[in-house]
Amino acid sequence: MISKILNLIKQQRKNKIFHKNATITGNNHVFGLRAGIALLCGSTKEDVEIKSNVWIYGNLVSQNHGKIYFGKYSKIGFGSKILSVNSVYIGDYTAIADNTTICDNNNHPVNPDFRLYMRTTSEFADARMWKHSDNAPIVIGKNCWIGTNVRIQKGVTIGDNSIVAACSVVTKSIPANCIAAGNPAKVVKTDIDKIPAPTSCQGYNEYVKKQQ
């Protein structure tokens, strides 16, 4: 009983943290006890937008007004993180599994002399901020499935309904309705929207009938 009360208190605190640091609309949100959100270098709650029925178990970090958007019914799993100094868009119904990293920037410039200078600065010095690195927006479309231990790099667009297999590194854009896998990720299957759905789930069968 005591543990349940403590978890309830922790959950209420977590909910307050997310409502303080993000623009949240709708209802039925889930913010895991290990989930986190950080606004750094001038970012505000207006830079993080979370729609209804979103589940967040991972960590979100916005620097210098980097935008993070979660569409309705989307989800990010345990140990996963979104690091934004530009823009990361997660479409409706998209699921991101555990331990995945989505980063719209290089974290630091590649120039060796700059990196040498950066090593001489303090932990939160300006030189270490993502704004100095190359960055580009990331767009993940509607109803995508991003597997465990995936990394999605800056400038990538993933089309609607597509799947990224576990442990893939996505460096280039992926079309809609396909499966991509590998390092670097490449398309291994197309037209997955034409693959018949299973008929073994009664709930799904009833859902289909209602759509007809």
Side-chain angles (χ1 to χ4, degrees):
M1 178 64 71
I2 294 176
S3 62
K4 288 183 178 180
I5 293 174
L6 290 175
N7 282 336
L8 179 60
I9 293 172
K10 290 178 182 178
Q11 189 63 68
Q12 290 174 340
R13 288 176 178 172
K14 185 65 65 174
N15 291 344
K16 287 181 180 179
I17 289 171
F18 269 85
H19 279 83
K20 179 182 178 181
N21 292 288
T23 302
I24 299 174
T25 56
N27 47 35
N28 298 324
H29 305 94
V30 176
F31 303 117
L33 292 179
R34 288 184 287 173
I37 180 170
L39 305 176
L40 307 174
C41 304
S43 288
T44 66
K45 66 179 296 181
E46 286 72 31
D47 295 315
V48 181
E49 190 172 355
I50 300 172
K51 296 301 185 180
S52 63
N53 296 280
V54 171
W55 300 357
I56 296 180
Y57 297 102
N59 289 277
L60 316 179
V61 182
S62 168
Q63 279 190 17
N64 294 93
H65 296 289
K67 309 299 182 187
I68 300 174
Y69 176 92
F70 278 88
K72 63 183 181 181
Y73 288 95
S74 57
K75 171 246 181 180
I76 185 168
F78 295 100
S80 290
K81 51 191 175 183
I82 294 177
L83 311 174
S84 177
V85 75
N86 191 308
S87 175
V88 176
Y89 179 97
I90 311 297
D92 298 346
Y93 307 99
T94 283
I96 300 163
D98 299 341
N99 300 316
T100 282
T101 298
I102 301 172
C103 185
D104 68 11
N105 63 89
N106 284 351
N107 291 139
H108 52 71
V110 298
N111 177 268
D113 195 52
F114 188 95
R115 288 188 287 111
L116 186 151
Y117 163 73
M118 185 181 70
R119 296 307 311 155
T120 69
T121 64
S122 60
E123 184 178 4
F124 297 106
D126 178 73
R128 295 177 180 271
M129 299 299 103
W130 301 337
K131 64 184 179 181
H132 303 298
S133 67
D134 288 343
N135 58 82
I138 293 172
V139 177
I140 303 177
K142 179 180 177 180
N143 195 35
C144 292
W145 174 8
I146 310 300
T148 302
N149 293 317
V150 167
R151 183 173 181 98
I152 298 176
Q153 301 287 77
K154 68 181 188 300
V156 163
T157 294
I158 298 175
D160 294 349
N161 302 320
S162 283
I163 296 171
V164 178
C167 301
S168 298
V169 178
V170 185
T171 61
K172 294 183 179 180
S173 294
I174 296 169
N177 297 302
C178 71
I179 299 175
N183 181 8
K186 296 181 180 179
V187 174
V188 296
K189 186 181 288 292
T190 60
D191 299 321
I192 63 173
D193 54 320
K194 296 180 175 60
I195 299 174
T199 58
S200 54
C201 176
Q202 186 60 34
Y204 176 75
N205 295 337
E206 294 173 359
Y207 164 80
V208 171
K209 288 180 180 178
K210 291 179 181 179
Q211 306 304 308
Q212 294 174 346

